[in-house]
Amino acid sequence: MRRVLMVLLLLVSVGQFVRADDATPKEEDLIRAAISSYKTAFDKGDAKAVAGHWTPEGEFTPPGGETIKGQAELEKSFTQYFQDSPGAKIELESVDIRLISPGVAVENGVAEVILPEQEPSITEYSAVHVKTPAGWKLDNVTENSVVVPQTHYEHLKSLEWMIGTWVDEGADGSVETVCKWTKNKNFMTRSFKVHIQDRIALEGTQVIGWDPIKKTIRSWLFDSEGGFGVGIWTQNENRWTVRTLQVLANGEKASGVNVMTKIDENTFTFRSLGREVDGELLPGVDEITIVRK
């Protein structure tokens, strides 16, 4: 029953519709008034009044469930729901309403139903409103489950301070790095460009993500010269150590340890040590300060 009411609840919110170009202000206002009336009835827990906002033959189809037909059956469902789920609230997102004809309007959106001391439920819905002699009524509502995308954000949020644009200015040139989240915050991308005088000498992209098998943060690096590499990240308070393995464009293998220390939200330091190329030890990179642009 909770699933049945989920979409019906979404119809009670007022003032969140996007006006379609072909919807006249008068008709939209009338639909808003009907929705406001629905909300009042629902908030009172009046199952009969709520069902009365539907057409006599109104239908509702929940995700994977059987269609409920008619005001009488809807009233039964509402009655049971109000007994089992007092205090339900609704939040709407991406709501769109369009007047298909002078007497038919279609509403689409995403609804989040919140019940006290329960996890919110999220659905996508489509509702058909029809204009009758008694005003605008609900004629058909279809609801579909929303698959919440998996995210590794919790494992990566300690690096969220890196999001933004950073610059390391030197006497001979500069390095600019832009860090962004990908969709669903499963990865961070850091794109960098090395400027020497008026040209870009090197550029590349680093992808940072959570390895669910190794249970660690891992990164992958690709540069414009054809080199690529991987890194394993570990954290100690405000310091991140990245152990890297790389294959250079000429086929040589390189390794090293990079250390980044967060000073504040706009500053961090970087140094590199233990650098080797095909077994030959190279000088380290002394600590430099990088600032937010």
Side-chain angles (χ1 to χ4, degrees):
M1 182 57 217
R2 177 181 177 182
R3 303 297 300 173
V4 172
L5 265 297
M6 183 174 297
V7 167
L8 304 183
L9 280 168
L10 63 84
L11 299 169
V12 306
S13 181
V14 180
Q16 298 187 50
F17 294 115
V18 177
R19 177 177 296 172
D21 292 339
D22 55 353
T24 65
K26 180 180 178 181
E27 294 303 331
E28 182 177 343
D29 290 343
L30 292 174
I31 294 172
R32 287 176 180 270
I35 294 169
S36 179
S37 175
Y38 185 103
K39 173 176 173 57
T40 299
F42 183 89
D43 289 348
K44 290 180 179 179
D46 188 339
K48 184 176 182 63
V50 170
H53 285 75
W54 292 65
T55 62
E57 301 80 20
E59 297 183 356
F60 170 70
T61 305
E66 295 183 359
T67 299
I68 301 171
K69 299 181 179 181
Q71 288 183 351
E73 292 301 314
L74 288 167
E75 183 178 340
K76 290 180 182 178
S77 296
F78 290 135
T79 299
Q80 188 62 52
Y81 179 80
F82 290 137
Q83 291 176 357
D84 297 340
S85 306
K89 303 296 180 184
I90 187 73
E91 297 291 340
L92 300 179
E93 296 181 2
S94 304
V95 177
D96 176 75
I97 187 167
R98 296 180 183 277
L99 198 68
I100 303 303
S101 70
V104 179
V106 176
E107 175 191 358
N108 293 289
V110 176
E112 181 179 20
V113 174
I114 303 171
L115 293 171
E117 300 181 359
Q118 295 187 34
E119 289 293 322
S121 296
I122 302 174
T123 59
E124 293 178 336
Y125 68 90
S126 179
V128 177
H129 302 257
V130 297
K131 190 175 182 180
T132 73
W136 284 93
K137 302 288 185 179
L138 294 169
D139 192 57
N140 184 283
V141 176
T142 302
E143 179 186 13
N144 296 299
S145 298
V146 173
V147 177
V148 179
Q150 183 177 357
T151 178
H152 292 149
Y153 172 71
E154 288 298 317
H155 301 291
L156 298 173
K157 66 180 182 180
S158 62
L159 291 172
E160 192 165 33
W161 61 270
M162 292 198 308
I163 298 297
T165 302
W166 300 84
V167 177
D168 166 32
E169 296 280 0
D172 300 327
S174 65
V175 180
E176 182 176 278
T177 304
V178 178
C179 185
K180 299 179 179 179
W181 283 112
T182 63
K183 184 177 176 59
N184 300 326
K185 294 188 175 181
N186 274 313
F187 295 96
M188 302 170 71
T189 61
R190 301 178 74 214
S191 300
F192 64 89
K193 292 182 179 182
V194 180
H195 298 265
I196 297 180
Q197 296 180 352
D198 59 348
R199 68 184 181 89
I200 298 176
L202 179 70
E203 61 184 353
T205 299
Q206 182 184 54
V207 179
I208 305 169
W210 173 253
D211 185 336
I213 296 178
K214 297 296 184 180
K215 306 298 183 183
T216 189
I217 295 176
R218 185 186 292 271
S219 60
W220 298 264
L221 178 68
F222 309 90
D223 66 51
S224 58
E225 292 186 346
F228 58 90
V230 298
I232 300 295
W233 294 56
T234 57
Q235 179 184 2
N236 182 7
E237 296 183 349
N238 66 331
R239 179 178 298 169
W240 284 261
T241 300
V242 187
R243 301 182 181 277
T244 65
L245 292 174
Q246 290 180 266
V247 176
L248 305 183
N250 60 7
E252 294 180 328
K253 296 180 179 180
S255 62
V257 177
N258 299 329
V259 180
M260 296 187 297
T261 303
K262 178 185 175 184
I263 305 302
D264 55 41
E265 292 301 320
N266 299 308
T267 313
F268 73 93
T269 61
F270 173 89
R271 63 183 300 226
S272 184
L273 53 131
R275 302 169 65 227
E276 291 187 0
V277 174
D278 272 2
E280 180 180 349
L281 188 63
L282 299 179
V285 176
D286 293 336
E287 186 173 89
I288 57 177
T289 298
I290 301 174
V291 298
R292 189 182 297 276
K293 185 173 180 179

